[in-house]
Amino acid sequence: MPRLVNKPNNRQLAFDENRINTYADRVMNGFELDKSKLIKGVNSKLRRDEVTAEEISEAVSMTALDLITKEEPNWKFVAARGLLTKLYKKAANNRKYKSYSDEPYGSFYPLIQTLVEKGIFREELLTCYSKEQIDELGDFIVPENDLLFDYIGLLTLTERYLAHDFNGQLMELPQERYMVIAMYLMHQEPAENRMELVKEAYWAMSNMYMTAATPTMSNAGKKVAGQLSSCFIDTVDDSLEGIFDSNTDVARLSKTGGGIGVYLGKVRARGSDIRGHKNTSSGIIPWIRQLNNTAVSVDQLGTRKGAIAVYLDVFHRDILAFLDLKLNNGDERMRAHDIFHGVCLPDLFMERVESRGEWSLFCPHEVKSIMGWKDSNGNALGLEDFYDEELGKGTFREKYEEAVNHPLLQRITVQAIDIMKRVMKSQLETGTPYMFYRDTVNRSNPNSAHGMVYSSNLCTEIMQNQSATVVEKEELVTKDGQTRIVISKIPGDFVVCNLNSIHLARAVPHNVLERLVPIQVRMLDNVIDINNIEVLQAQYTNSQYRAVGLGTFGLHHLLALEGIRWESDEAVTYNDNLYEKINYLLVKASMELSKEKGHYPKFKGSDWESGKYFEQRDYTTGERVGEFVTTEQWKELQAEVQQNGVRNAWLFAIAPNGSTSIIAGSTASIDPLYELVSYEEKTTYKIANPAPDLSDKTIWYYKTAFLVDQHASINMASARQRHVDQGQSFNLYVRPDIKATEFLELHLHAWRAGLKSTYYVRSQALTIESCESCAS
């Protein structure tokens, strides 16, 4: 047992076991756990003659972590309180104030002033708020909300998000991070209601009713290179300039922490002609390998390599080589192991897979050159520019048959099922490609009058209009005696994702959705105005559509609390009703914001303006009465939207939420629980992380991911999809020994059920790195 405790400023106190007993009472307050186990474990870890107060807190946390079991999961909160003690003392020492157990936070204004002066926080925190206002916001902080964290959540927040000085010293505490985010997101709001909006945003985050996206959590209010949006989608033009410009744009976004999706379906295939020279194109694989090198060499803020997903249509002539990109065998010159890939699938292909029919592959450049299809402006169109307007019939299949039957157009014809086998082989070995059901997506696109959705993003939940940026001309210009090279480009729709998410397992039981959703929408909308994106076409697209993606996490956590089995009709109905309610509140909030600030610039001609958005989802037809929203309420909202507009072109997107759901202590996104007790591995130890609110009651509703029937998961996703105007990061969990016929049926079921995409195929034999950018 130690003899002395070393305190800051070279003070020493005699070690007092009674103080350990008092400390144990404090960190265990509210939990029915055996205190003697904690004290015994702490004493066993304090074997040196002299210890520090920090080492005592560390011993408390480590002992509590050792005691976590399925039967006693609440030790994770005891461990968190030990870590909190350490954080409070570190911040107090670094900021030179006295921390007490009942008042652990220091004064807020000196923190803001000091970190602005040091160049860590942004000047707007001082220029847009007076000292009196900052003091008022400091008084509004609720330190007790720190007790909502479990250990792994608090540790994740500390390591990745809290502000440190340039020497790595902790300066910011959890509630201060939430307040700074709220202040920065609201700093451009009118002065008369700015303070109330800051408090409302802080309320939402501090009570863990929601989480902001990882880039916003990390960067809001900080004077760093990173930006606030989560991820981006580029469409590559079929030209040398387009390909290299896209790579440059990807690098510029990747360095600031953005996840990137890249659509390559317009780039000519291998063996195609270049300027009339036959069989000269090397196809898309070399360009993907170049993007792979960019992902590796341009890392995200020095923490990890960039994250890039590439998408290709299943009718592109390079699709077979594309599907083998990540395999561990074969020609390494045709591989790109650090890239993620997705395949874009029309209904017709899935029908051919079902019927075991043939499928033809084309070069997009040759299709445009030979078929002669034009848009209203005279621009050449390819197969990728069409989709089927109805299930089973439409424009794409008509154009596809025209291409198949054209005598001059080269094609490769294979069995559709053989392509699907290649897809499934890659998925079982690597987890990808993602599946993107392009007809389903475009049929439900509320802004189809203004463009086409070709692919998705890194996490398959963002689905917005896309088009390639094209170099118009490059010229030498002399002005005032100076000569410059001026490059003129026509900006395409370069998609931007702005995300945050509802913590379902807290917001729903606490009945706060009506209050929560409007402040979330305002926070997301403000990100659009505050953010400064280096790629100008992305900035322009962001301003024209003002798209946001409110999402959810903690679904399995909520179902367990409600006593609803995952594999049940009740779960499907519950999903349908809950997500309809969230969507209603979302649309209403965006409409109210439009009344205040104006609708998004491209509102005219959209399905929002025509009312088709509501009719297509059966919100305003019949006499259906939902559990939360009636037909009459939807009709009233439809009329208000047609009159006032909406502020945001897209509203709903369910992201993976890997890291932020850990911070909030809940289950990720819409996924089933992975394990009853999972483990986070650190350098010298493992941290046990039991299922949230695990108890004798909830354990019966926590059937884990690889045991649940994946068809039940698809049924729930199908019920949600009607209400989600974008997509869902929906994973399939399969055993490595799954039969090919069973695996195929899962994909066919997902497509038939109206899912817009599927994300990873997760197998127990695979380790897959989660997307950090879209975690929200």
Side-chain angles (χ1 to χ4, degrees):
M1 187 176 296
R3 193 170 53 82
L4 295 171
V5 178
N6 294 323
K7 306 285 283 185
N9 303 320
N10 297 317
R11 291 186 301 121
Q12 285 188 327
L13 294 176
F15 181 82
D16 185 351
E17 195 170 359
N18 289 328
R19 297 185 69 166
I20 298 291
N21 192 63
T22 303
Y23 184 26
D25 287 335
R26 180 156 60 86
V27 297
M28 294 178 65
N29 184 39
F31 301 115
E32 294 182 3
L33 298 167
D34 187 345
K35 184 172 68 172
S36 65
K37 291 182 181 179
L38 181 67
I39 293 175
K40 181 180 178 181
V42 170
N43 287 333
S44 71
K45 287 176 167 56
L46 300 175
R47 294 178 177 175
R48 293 190 296 109
D49 193 45
E50 296 182 12
V51 296
T52 64
E54 183 175 320
E55 287 172 335
I56 294 173
S57 298
E58 184 76 8
V60 168
S61 291
M62 292 300 101
T63 300
L65 291 175
D66 291 339
L67 293 171
I68 293 172
T69 62
K70 286 186 290 186
E71 292 72 29
E72 292 188 328
N74 286 332
W75 285 111
K76 64 183 179 179
F77 293 104
V78 176
R81 292 176 184 185
L83 178 56
L84 271 173
T85 302
K86 186 164 75 171
L87 296 182
Y88 292 155
K89 290 179 178 178
K90 278 187 174 182
N93 186 54
N94 296 336
R95 288 159 53 181
K96 305 295 188 289
Y97 67 85
K98 184 70 175 176
S99 176
Y100 300 94
S101 59
D102 56 338
E103 291 184 29
Y105 277 65
S107 181
F108 191 45
Y109 180 79
L111 170 69
I112 301 294
Q113 185 181 42
T114 299
L115 294 192
V116 168
E117 289 173 356
K118 288 186 174 184
I120 294 168
F121 278 173
R122 297 186 66 90
E123 292 83 355
E124 290 91 335
L125 298 177
L126 288 179
T127 57
C128 296
Y129 299 90
S130 67
K131 180 181 184 301
E132 292 72 24
Q133 287 176 322
I134 295 174
D135 286 338
E136 181 183 338
L137 294 175
D139 291 339
F140 194 76
I141 283 174
V142 184
E144 292 78 15
N145 283 350
D146 284 347
L147 301 181
L148 295 173
F149 292 107
D150 63 18
Y151 183 85
I152 188 62
L154 183 61
L155 184 67
T156 302
L157 181 73
T158 303
E159 292 180 342
R160 300 187 188 180
Y161 301 99
L162 298 185
H164 294 69
D165 67 16
F166 293 118
N167 295 318
Q169 300 296 310
L170 177 73
M171 300 297 288
E172 188 181 51
L173 290 170
Q175 299 305 312
E176 292 165 337
R177 173 88 303 247
Y178 290 138
M179 186 60 83
V180 169
I181 293 169
M183 290 172 65
Y184 188 63
L185 293 188
M186 298 299 163
H187 80 270
Q188 292 184 0
E189 290 284 351
E192 59 268 21
N193 60 355
R194 185 184 302 149
M195 289 289 285
E196 287 309 308
L197 291 172
V198 171
K199 291 177 181 179
E200 194 72 354
Y202 170 77
W203 164 84
M205 291 183 286
S206 174
N207 285 288
M208 288 190 186
Y209 294 136
M210 62 156 288
T211 57
T214 286
T216 304
M217 279 275 287
S218 181
N219 299 329
K222 295 180 186 175
K223 197 169 185 177
V224 293
Q227 39 73 43
L228 307 181
S229 296
S230 294
C231 49
F232 306 85
I233 311 173
D234 191 16
T235 305
V236 182
D237 182 45
D238 183 35
S239 67
L240 196 63
E241 295 87 354
I243 291 167
F244 278 98
D245 283 356
S246 175
N247 199 313
T248 300
D249 292 339
V250 165
R252 292 163 74 191
L253 293 169
S254 185
K255 76 175 183 182
T256 59
I260 320 293
V262 180
Y263 174 66
L264 289 160
K266 294 184 176 294
V267 178
R268 67 194 68 194
R270 184 175 186 177
S272 184
D273 68 280
I274 298 176
R275 295 192 302 275
H277 296 275
K278 302 297 182 182
N279 300 317
T280 49
S281 171
S282 56
I284 63 161
I285 301 300
W287 305 124
I288 294 175
R289 285 174 58 82
Q290 186 182 64
L291 283 169
N292 188 96
N293 293 337
T294 299
V296 173
S297 57
V298 184
D299 62 22
Q300 296 184 352
L301 304 176
T303 57
R304 58 185 174 272
K305 66 188 178 188
I308 301 172
V310 291
Y311 284 82
L312 194 69
D313 296 300
V314 76
F315 45 82
H316 193 289
R317 206 162 66 203
D318 286 349
I319 189 65
L320 297 175
F322 177 80
L323 293 175
D324 293 345
L325 267 178
K326 290 175 68 68
L327 297 183
N328 292 319
N329 52 20
D331 187 352
E332 272 300 308
R333 293 171 298 178
M334 302 294 285
R335 301 289 179 263
H337 298 291
D338 302 290
I339 218 86
F340 303 90
H341 61 335
V343 58
C344 308
L345 306 146
D347 290 341
L348 184 60
F349 173 77
M350 299 303 288
E351 292 167 15
R352 296 286 174 86
V353 169
E354 276 192 297
S355 65
R356 304 301 190 265
E358 291 183 338
W359 187 249
S360 294
L361 311 176
F362 304 93
C363 169
H365 169 68
E366 293 172 6
V367 170
K368 287 182 179 179
S369 301
I370 293 172
M371 297 308 297
W373 301 324
K374 305 280 186 184
D375 65 12
S376 57
N377 295 318
N379 299 312
L381 297 175
L383 273 174
E384 72 276 7
D385 297 310
F386 300 98
Y387 68 94
D388 283 347
E389 295 81 6
E390 296 179 53
L391 187 62
K393 58 182 179 180
T395 307
F396 173 81
R397 63 188 62 220
E398 293 170 0
K399 297 297 184 183
Y400 173 85
E401 290 303 327
E402 284 183 37
V404 168
N405 294 321
H406 198 288
L408 300 180
L409 186 60
Q410 294 185 68
R411 62 184 179 276
I412 298 172
T413 300
V414 296
Q415 294 296 310
I417 190 65
D418 289 340
I419 297 178
M420 196 66 178
K421 287 176 182 176
R422 297 275 279 271
V423 168
M424 295 190 297
K425 180 179 186 291
S426 179
Q427 287 176 332
L428 290 176
E429 287 191 25
T430 71
T432 58
Y434 313 139
M435 309 291 269
F436 177 83
Y437 299 111
R438 63 195 311 278
D439 290 337
T440 307
V441 169
N442 282 285
R443 278 195 291 267
S444 63
N445 175 16
N447 296 281
S448 59
H450 299 304
M452 176 95 179
V453 186
Y454 295 110
S455 67
S456 190
N457 64 320
L458 185 63
C459 303
T460 75
E461 87 277 20
I462 300 302
M463 294 161 189
Q464 301 170 20
N465 289 351
Q466 300 168 246
S467 57
T469 295
V470 179
V471 176
E472 186 179 39
K473 61 180 177 180
E474 185 174 345
E475 57 185 342
L476 285 171
V477 176
T478 302
K479 184 178 180 181
D480 299 329
Q482 287 191 325
T483 301
R484 294 177 175 86
I485 298 172
V486 177
I487 300 172
S488 176
K489 297 182 181 181
I490 301 172
D493 285 332
F494 195 115
V495 175
V496 182
C497 322
N498 305 299
L499 307 173
N500 64 28
S501 291
I502 298 169
H503 183 177
L504 292 175
R506 282 190 59 79
V508 173
H510 289 206
N511 197 28
V512 298
L513 287 177
E514 285 82 356
R515 178 181 174 184
L516 177 64
V517 171
I519 194 65
Q520 283 186 269
V521 172
R522 187 180 291 269
M523 290 166 74
L524 287 170
D525 189 68
N526 285 349
V527 165
I528 296 166
D529 294 319
I530 294 169
N531 217 7
N532 182 27
I533 304 170
E534 278 193 50
V535 177
L536 295 182
Q537 60 266 37
Q539 185 89 341
Y540 178 71
T541 302
N542 214 15
S543 68
Q544 292 301 295
Y545 288 108
R546 305 192 66 84
V548 300
L550 184 141
T552 65
F553 66 94
L555 176 63
H556 201 176
H557 185 184
L558 175 62
L559 292 177
L561 292 175
E562 296 287 339
I564 299 174
R565 288 191 306 107
W566 188 273
E567 300 162 309
S568 67
D569 292 339
E570 184 183 6
V572 174
T573 303
Y574 188 84
N575 270 263
D576 194 5
N577 288 324
L578 175 61
Y579 281 83
E580 180 181 359
K581 178 179 181 177
I582 294 170
N583 193 34
Y584 175 82
L585 295 172
L586 251 176
V587 177
K588 189 173 180 65
S590 188
M591 182 274 297
E592 293 291 349
L593 205 54
S594 179
K595 287 164 65 175
E596 178 185 333
K597 298 184 176 184
H599 57 66
Y600 69 94
K602 291 196 172 186
F603 172 74
K604 296 295 183 183
S606 70
D607 288 358
W608 299 108
E609 185 194 38
S610 68
K612 182 183 174 184
Y613 172 88
F614 303 90
E615 294 156 8
Q616 188 183 52
R617 288 158 179 79
D618 296 325
Y619 288 153
T620 56
T621 55
E623 296 302 320
R624 176 197 56 80
V625 179
E627 184 179 340
F628 301 119
V629 191
T630 66
T631 303
E632 285 307 311
Q633 286 176 298
W634 275 117
K635 286 181 178 177
E636 290 173 10
L637 183 56
Q638 178 186 25
E640 288 183 291
V641 166
Q642 289 181 278
Q643 179 180 348
N644 302 306
V646 284
R647 180 69 170 162
N648 316 98
W650 291 272
L651 293 166
F652 211 163
I654 303 175
N657 295 310
S659 59
T660 48
S661 64
I662 290 174
I663 291 172
S666 193
T667 53
S669 192
I670 48 174
D671 278 10
L673 181 73
Y674 195 79
E675 292 178 298
L676 279 175
V677 180
S678 58
Y679 291 90
E680 181 86 3
E681 295 204 21
K682 295 297 178 181
T683 308
T684 57
Y685 60 96
K686 290 199 302 186
I687 302 171
N689 189 28
D693 286 304
L694 187 61
S695 67
D696 291 342
K697 177 185 174 183
T698 60
I699 194 170
W700 303 107
Y701 302 98
Y702 272 136
K703 195 172 183 180
T704 54
F706 291 104
L707 297 179
V708 300
D709 181 355
Q710 298 303 299
H711 291 285
S713 298
I714 291 170
N715 289 336
M716 282 198 286
S718 176
R720 289 189 297 267
Q721 189 64 79
R722 179 165 66 105
H723 312 297
V724 179
D725 60 8
Q726 296 189 74
Q728 313 173 55
S729 293
F730 176 78
N731 292 300
L732 287 170
Y733 290 84
V734 302
R735 296 180 304 277
D737 61 346
I738 188 171
K739 294 180 180 178
T741 53
E742 294 173 0
F743 193 19
L744 175 61
E745 185 52 38
L746 286 176
H747 284 303
L748 291 172
H749 183 190
W751 163 64
R752 291 192 211 103
L755 270 64
K756 295 178 180 178
S757 66
T758 59
Y759 191 28
Y760 285 112
V761 172
R762 295 185 181 266
S763 166
Q764 288 167 310
L766 279 175
T767 300
I768 293 172
E769 186 176 340
S770 296
C771 170
E772 289 291 335
S773 299
C774 282
S776 56

